Amino acid sequence: MQSVQLALPDRDLSLATLLAERATSSGEAALLDPRALLPGGAAWEVEIGFGKGRYLLASAAARPKDRFLGIEIAGEYYRLARDRARRRGLGNLLLARADAIYLLAALLPRGLARRVHVYFPDPWPKTRHHKRRLFDPETLDLLLGLLAADGELFFATDHLAYGELVEAILASHPGLDVTRWQGPWPDGARTNYEAKYLVEGRPIRRLVVRLRPGAEPVHPAGLVGLAVGAPDGELVLRGASDSPTDE
Ligand SMILES: C[S@@+](CC[C@H](N)C(=O)[O-])C[C@H]1O[C@@H](n2cnc3c(N)ncnc32)[C@H](O)[C@@H]1O
């Protein structure tokens, strides 16, 4: 089990404690379901790699009836956002310090979110690091799996080559409508990186992606890449994007 910390509005929680508390009578651990931790609320939004938490803190304050989940791997950013959220008395924001890929793959319920936000994700330019990207075909499936029917994914990057690649991967998905967003978001700079880059005049690629109702979130390229099983009984999980020739 990987290390995951959770910040509820009024207390910290480790994943181990949560799973122990939620263990069923049969001894099986339940998933990490944010709806059980922050019940009620009209809709859930999830931000991955929230940095200093600008978007989540502002949105949670502006829309108290909605619920927000932020996932951030860097402990320093996580603690900064957690402390700000508590000082501001935000009761509708759940923060997780964790590797988002692990949370998406192993713990979070599918179809949770009306909106998912990923702003300025690390592009991981080296081939051997591509599996860490959120927008590889296989990891994209995890991301899209978070979306409710008709849910939306918001993306921005200043890394234009990566933006092209992400747009191509998304556009090749039969269940998605992908739109390039021209100019800043209606609510202005959503994150600290975006605010900085706007001041610098750096070009930014923004995408809004809608999962059509009834569409399967699984990307066909991800399916092709998943060859499971081997003659000797060893389980092999291999992605289409895995490259035998690392740079
Ligand atoms: C370039 S920063 C952008 C921060 C913020 N989104 C913004 O726009 O200001 C990328 C962020 O993603 C976080 N991150 C990278 N990989 C992650 C992962 N696997 N899970 C969760 N967060 C991750 C990093 O710690 C960092 O805060």
Side-chain angles (χ1 to χ4, degrees), residues 47-54 71-75 77 96-102 117-124 132-134 156 158 190-195 197:
E47 184 178 2
I48 295 175
F50 59 72
K52 293 184 178 173
R54 176 174 167 143
I71 308 170
E72 170 57 57
I73 203 166
Y77 285 152
R97 195 218 54 75
D99 180 343
I101 293 176
Y102 173 61
H117 306 264
V118 188
Y119 299 124
F120 304 92
D122 298 320
W124 297 111
R132 299 185 192 169
R133 286 177 163 175
L134 283 168
D158 63 309
R190 289 185 171 171
T191 67
N192 278 49
Y193 272 69
E194 185 168 19
Y197 295 155

Side-chain angles (χ1 to χ4, degrees), residues 1-4 15 98-108 142:
M1 186 165 70
Q2 284 192 12
S3 153
V4 175
L15 183 62
D99 180 343
I101 293 176
Y102 173 61
L103 278 200
L104 297 181
L107 296 167
L108 288 172
L142 298 173

Side-chain angles (χ1 to χ4, degrees), residues 106-148:
L107 296 167
L108 288 172
R110 295 169 66 80
L112 169 72
R114 184 183 62 182
R115 294 195 184 122
V116 173
H117 306 264
V118 188
Y119 299 124
F120 304 92
D122 298 320
W124 297 111
K126 293 181 182 170
T127 309
R128 69 174 180 278
H129 292 151
H130 281 185
K131 58 173 102 44
R132 299 185 192 169
R133 286 177 163 175
L134 283 168
F135 289 90
D136 234 27
E138 297 89 32
T139 37
L140 175 67
D141 293 342
L142 298 173
L143 204 62
L144 295 176
L146 259 188
L147 284 176

Side-chain angles (χ1 to χ4, degrees), residues 234-245:
E234 192 186 338
L235 188 69
V236 178
L237 282 174
R238 183 170 170 73
S241 60
D242 283 1
S243 166
T245 52

Side-chain angles (χ1 to χ4, degrees), residues 120 157-158 192-204:
F120 304 92
T157 186
D158 63 309
N192 278 49
Y193 272 69
E194 185 168 19
K196 189 172 80 166
Y197 295 155
L198 281 175
V199 169
E200 290 174 7
R202 228 190 252 209
I204 295 172

